[in-house]
Amino acid sequence: MLRKYLGLILVVGVIAFIGLGFMGQYNRLVGLQEQVDGQWGNVENVYQRRADLIPNLVETVKGYAAHERETFEAVIKARAQATQVQAQLTPEALNDPQMLAKFQEAQQGLSSALARLMVVVEQYPDLKANQNFRDLQAQLEGTENRIAVERRRFNEVARDYNTTVRRFPANILAGMFGFERKGYFEAADGAQNAPKVDF
């Protein structure tokens, strides 16, 4: 009697074994995708913190350098553009390298505008001595450091996810269930060149 069903039991066992393997791979892909999405939330959080600090910084500088209107407008415009692009970049849009590049470009524009604002600040010793400004500047510097850390962490979890999505047999499941590669943060254009300093 057992011999009669031994072949059937063996076939069912093999199918169950393969099914459990694929289920484990699928669950691993889901877990890795959630890590990428969660880390993206951390990246957005620190960029939002920077965006929230900027109006206070601009208002503080305006009190000392009201005639620098063009610089203030450039910072405010860059902040608005960066915030708009950030709102468009959902975790699903991270599959599109052009969208991530657009986000990075907008954030780089904001960083450049802030750098120009800091050049203006150098012309006003009283402003640099203002405690409120110094506190805002310290918070902004800390936020910039957090941005670098969170971007690096995002790239790490995205790399783990992308590696898994491309490996066999997970690549079969990834294709079947729509797990697509995620983009990476890249260095800004010209970052590989050391700045030239003239004295």
Side-chain angles (χ1 to χ4, degrees), residues 78-154:
R79 178 187 180 270
Q81 183 179 9
T83 303
Q84 180 184 18
V85 172
Q86 183 174 337
Q88 297 171 359
L89 195 59
T90 62
E92 295 78 29
L94 293 174
N95 301 339
D96 181 3
Q98 286 85 16
M99 245 341 252
L100 191 56
K102 184 177 176 184
F103 174 79
Q104 285 181 249
E105 185 180 316
Q107 293 298 337
Q108 184 61 34
L110 180 55
S111 293
S112 295
L114 283 172
R116 287 191 303 275
L117 181 65
M118 291 303 148
V119 168
V120 168
V121 167
E122 291 298 318
Q123 301 170 16
Y124 298 92
D126 291 343
L127 172 60
K128 290 181 1 184
N130 179 290
Q131 185 63 43
N132 187 35
F133 173 78
R134 289 194 338 232
D135 290 346
L136 286 168
Q137 187 177 23
Q139 288 180 42
L140 190 60
E141 287 171 2
T143 300
E144 292 294 338
N145 290 334
R146 286 187 210 135
I147 286 171
V149 168
E150 297 301 339
R151 283 174 51 140
R152 181 184 50 78
R153 287 181 183 161
F154 175 83

Side-chain angles (χ1 to χ4, degrees), residues 18-107:
I18 292 171
L20 287 173
F22 275 109
M23 188 171 71
Q25 284 292 332
Y26 177 83
N27 289 338
R28 182 161 188 247
L29 286 170
V30 169
L32 289 171
Q33 185 175 37
E34 287 300 317
Q35 283 181 354
V36 171
D37 293 349
Q39 186 56 41
W40 176 249
N42 293 343
V43 169
E44 284 186 311
N45 185 37
V46 292
Y47 274 118
Q48 187 60 50
R49 176 174 166 70
R50 177 172 78 167
D52 292 344
L53 287 171
I54 290 171
N56 292 334
L57 187 67
V58 168
E59 288 303 315
T60 302
V61 175
K62 268 186 187 179
Y64 288 84
H67 63 282
E68 301 285 352
R69 195 179 94 218
E70 186 177 309
T71 303
F72 301 137
E73 288 173 358
V75 171
I76 291 166
K77 181 180 176 186
R79 178 187 180 270
Q81 183 179 9
T83 303
Q84 180 184 18
V85 172
Q86 183 174 337
Q88 297 171 359
L89 195 59
T90 62
E92 295 78 29
L94 293 174
N95 301 339
D96 181 3
Q98 286 85 16
M99 245 341 252
L100 191 56
K102 184 177 176 184
F103 174 79
Q104 285 181 249
E105 185 180 316
Q107 293 298 337

Side-chain angles (χ1 to χ4, degrees), residues 52 125 182 198:
D52 292 344
K182 303 291 184 184
D198 290 324

